[in-house]
Structure formats: C-alpha cells, structure tokens
Amino acid sequence: MKTREKSGANQLVELVVIVAVALGLALGIQAFLVKPYRIPSESMEPTLDVGQRVLVNRIGSRFSDPGVGDVVVFHPPRGADTNECGAPKPQDQACALPTNQQSSVNFIKRVVAGPGDKIRIINGHVIRNGVREKDSYIRACGPGDECTLPRQITIPKGYWFMMGDNRGASDDSRFWGPVPKKWIIGGAFATYWPPKRIGLL
C-alpha cells in the first residue's frame, strides 16, 4: 500500500517537473530564439494578411545584418504613430532620420534599403542606387496615395529603410525614417496560421 502511494506521489512530482521544464523551454525559445507574431494591419498585404501569424528568428539579427527584401519585425521610432520624422522633411522627400528613441510597439515591414543606399520613391516603387527594385510582391498605390517622393535621400550607416508591401496603405520609413539595427527584433521566416497559408517567407 505504501509503495503504491509512494509511486503515485513520484508520478505527480515527475509530471510537475516535466510541465515546468517544458514551460521553461517554451519561454526560453520565445525569448531568445523564435517568437510568434500576429499581423495587425493590412500594410503587408498581399504577402501577409491581417490575423496571419508568422515566426520570427530572434537570434539571427544579433549575428548578421538584414538584407534588402527581408521581412522583419522591429520597434519603430517613438512618434511613428503620428508619422513624426526626426529631421526636417520636405514634402517631396522620404524621412531621412527617425526620432532618437524607439517605441515599445512592434511593426512588421520589408527591408527595401540599407546603409549607404541612395533612394527615392516613384509611384510606390523604390529606386535604389538608380535602379528600380524588383517588387512583384507589392500592392500598387492607388490614386491620391502619398507614393511619390522623388527627392533622393541616403540611408545612414547602421540604419535600414522599411516599407510595407501594401504601398498605398502602409505607414513606414517614408514617414518616420529608417531604423537602427538595435531596434530590429528579427526576421520573419515562416507563416504557420492559417493552415492554408503555412510556408516559408
């Protein structure tokens, strides 16, 4: 009888330990390796829909720079919610510098230019170093959208310029400036929800 009671107690302790270890591993993976992220707006359509969920590689950005074309999750500058630029911004030019503090919210956009690149925006298309980007993935701008900013800017060292794929419905670096590497959380590499959209990005 005592052996049976002892065995039951041991099983309970073992179960508690397994659950605790599993929970710890899950939290550790999310904190340092891979984090799920839910798409909150239509700014990345048609690539990512509202409510779609992606996995973000948190560790990769610590050891390598993002590349043009990567979809990344990051902290925008403080003031991004009101399209505040950190430098004087002529009407025909994209914002060249962000405010100097990061926001606590997360955004997801595509990297369209990196340090030293010279860019301007024509009808929502990025002209990078004199060459139009290959952008078959975007949703084109509609009439009246603020999608032409022909005055050229140069992306500062250590900064990346982000834009949503839905060029006419995205508040992005055009309005609040490029993002320093330390504000980048990681690259989105796969989508896992809804099931019909499971795949790599």
Side-chain angles (χ1 to χ4, degrees), residues 23-44:
L23 183 61
L25 284 173
L27 292 174
I29 288 172
Q30 187 172 131
F32 299 107
L33 299 176
V34 176
K35 186 175 180 66
Y37 181 79
R38 180 183 179 277
I39 306 305
S41 74
E42 70 276 10
S43 72
M44 280 299 291

Side-chain angles (χ1 to χ4, degrees), residues 7-199:
S7 176
N10 286 343
Q11 288 178 351
L12 180 60
V13 170
E14 185 178 354
L15 178 62
V16 169
V17 170
I18 288 172
V19 170
V21 169
L23 183 61
L25 284 173
L27 292 174
I29 288 172
Q30 187 172 131
F32 299 107
L33 299 176
V34 176
K35 186 175 180 66
Y37 181 79
R38 180 183 179 277
I39 306 305
S41 74
E42 70 276 10
S43 72
M44 280 299 291
E45 291 178 350
T47 306
L48 297 168
D49 295 328
V50 177
Q52 196 168 343
R53 288 169 170 79
V54 299
L55 295 175
V56 176
N57 177 2
R58 293 176 65 96
I59 199 168
S61 62
R62 299 180 187 180
F63 300 103
S64 62
D65 292 337
V68 170
D70 290 352
V71 176
V72 299
V73 173
F74 59 95
H75 295 291
R78 186 172 294 178
D81 54 334
T82 57
N83 286 337
E84 181 181 351
C85 184
K89 180 188 175 304
Q91 192 172 1
D92 63 346
Q93 175 189 294
C95 180
L97 282 174
T99 59
N100 58 14
Q101 290 185 305
Q102 72 175 34
S103 170
S104 60
V105 302
N106 298 337
F107 279 8
I108 184 167
K109 308 286 181 187
R110 190 181 296 272
V111 178
V112 299
D117 284 336
K118 300 179 186 300
I119 66 165
R120 54 196 182 96
I121 317 294
I122 304 296
N123 295 325
H125 304 288
V126 177
I127 313 300
R128 186 175 56 253
N129 302 322
V131 179
R132 195 185 116 167
E133 65 176 335
K134 296 179 181 179
D135 57 6
S136 58
Y137 48 78
I138 74 167
R139 177 170 291 166
C141 290
D145 293 328
E146 294 182 25
C147 288
T148 295
L149 301 165
R151 187 181 298 199
Q152 183 173 277
I153 65 168
T154 300
I155 311 304
K157 182 179 180 181
Y159 284 73
W160 278 261
F161 199 91
M162 314 293 188
M163 288 177 66
D165 288 353
N166 191 355
R167 296 289 163 86
S170 174
D171 291 332
D172 50 39
S173 288
R174 287 174 288 179
F175 310 106
W176 36 255
V179 175
K181 183 178 179 180
K182 63 184 177 181
W183 295 357
I184 298 174
I185 296 169
F189 65 92
T191 176
Y192 67 94
W193 189 265
K196 65 181 180 180
R197 297 292 301 271
I198 289 175

